[in-house]
Amino acid sequence: MLLKMGAFRNFRKSSSSKVEYFDGRHRYEHWYCDNQVYFITARCRERYPAFASEEAKSVFWDRFTHYTTKYHFTPFVTSLLDNHYHTIGYLRTGAELGPMMQKIHGSVAKLVNDLLPERRASFWVDAGHQDYFDGCIRNELQCRRAFRYTLTQCKRHRICADPKNYAHTRVGVDIDRAVRRALQLQAFMEKIPYKRYE
């Protein structure tokens, strides 16, 4: 479904089912929105620690950097743990989210599988048949919270107390600068409420 948001913000939704609700709950959808700040997260199936080795982490960073650059996604902050990652950043063209994620996940799964003792057929896919979650950031407060949440993953998982000392938390754009630029570009989805952040 293609919708219009203002003069320049097209977006469409996609879901694995045409049924909007199941068992009283709204089914998960991907939203492909132009000029948008996104929070993206993904976890290895069954929480398998596929990125426990530095070599596997290096594969992730190489492919993540390559495809985020190719698809014009500007990461504000990204944190990689042994079995999942989080990132928040700006995407100019919403239609590029799907191809970018497909390329990142496909290449990382293939190359990291080559390093593992035994191949994992469904590397990312977890509950609900989704291999990643994406959320459109609604406002400055949500952006700052998502940034801090991503930045402090190493602390939450008791790896180290200071993100500056964890090589796999990478800040691409300082939060104040990121927020200023997002406000200038009107890159928050302010018109559509999101219950968790109301």
Side-chain angles (χ1 to χ4, degrees):
M1 175 193 309
L2 184 64
L3 303 163
K4 261 304 211 198
M5 289 194 55
F8 63 99
R9 298 195 66 197
N10 292 321
F11 80 91
R12 71 180 173 84
K13 299 188 225 180
S14 76
S15 176
S16 60
S17 171
K18 293 188 185 217
V19 179
E20 190 172 355
Y21 290 88
F22 177 75
D23 201 21
R25 298 180 71 188
H26 196 280
R27 285 187 185 271
Y28 181 73
E29 302 169 319
H30 291 295
W31 285 23
Y32 305 109
C33 182
D34 291 349
N35 186 47
Q36 179 63 46
V37 176
Y38 275 96
F39 173 73
I40 300 168
T41 186
R43 183 174 65 201
C44 298
R45 184 172 59 88
E46 299 170 345
R47 301 176 188 264
Y48 182 80
F51 302 106
S53 73
E54 287 299 311
E55 194 176 3
K57 285 183 174 80
S58 179
V59 166
F60 172 87
W61 287 116
D62 177 72
R63 296 297 79 204
F64 180 82
T65 302
H66 176 79
Y67 286 114
T68 54
T69 301
K70 178 176 179 176
Y71 289 100
H72 309 104
F73 177 78
T74 304
F76 300 165
V77 62
T78 305
S79 194
L80 173 66
L81 288 304
D82 285 357
N83 65 12
H84 70 283
Y85 72 92
H86 303 284
T87 188
I88 180 171
Y90 172 77
L91 184 64
R92 185 171 40 190
T93 306
E96 294 187 336
L97 177 64
M100 178 184 81
M101 294 306 297
Q102 183 180 32
K103 296 283 170 90
I104 292 171
H105 280 194
S107 61
V108 167
K110 194 274 179 216
L111 295 169
V112 171
N113 256 321
D114 291 346
L115 304 172
L116 297 176
E118 119 181 3
R119 299 191 76 76
R120 302 195 50 87
S122 297
F123 190 91
W124 298 102
V125 177
D126 219 327
H129 305 291
Q130 60 196 53
D131 66 346
Y132 68 95
F133 166 85
D134 60 271
C136 296
I137 299 294
R138 277 14 185 221
N139 54 38
E140 178 179 346
L141 177 61
Q142 187 187 10
C143 184
R144 288 182 181 277
R145 285 178 175 170
F147 187 100
R148 180 167 177 69
Y149 177 79
T150 303
L151 181 69
T152 58
Q153 281 297 298
C154 63
K155 200 171 171 183
R156 288 173 170 275
H157 291 274
R158 296 183 177 93
I159 296 168
C160 72
D162 188 345
K164 290 177 189 157
N165 297 327
Y166 182 57
H168 301 292
T169 292
R170 300 187 181 178
V171 176
V173 183
D174 170 79
I175 184 58
D176 292 325
R177 184 172 163 225
V179 165
R180 272 197 312 274
R181 187 65 177 140
L183 289 168
Q184 287 171 348
L185 293 170
Q186 297 180 317
F188 295 134
M189 192 180 279
E190 293 176 331
K191 306 281 187 215
I192 300 179
Y194 185 40
K195 286 186 180 180
R196 186 173 176 187
Y197 293 97
E198 288 181 331

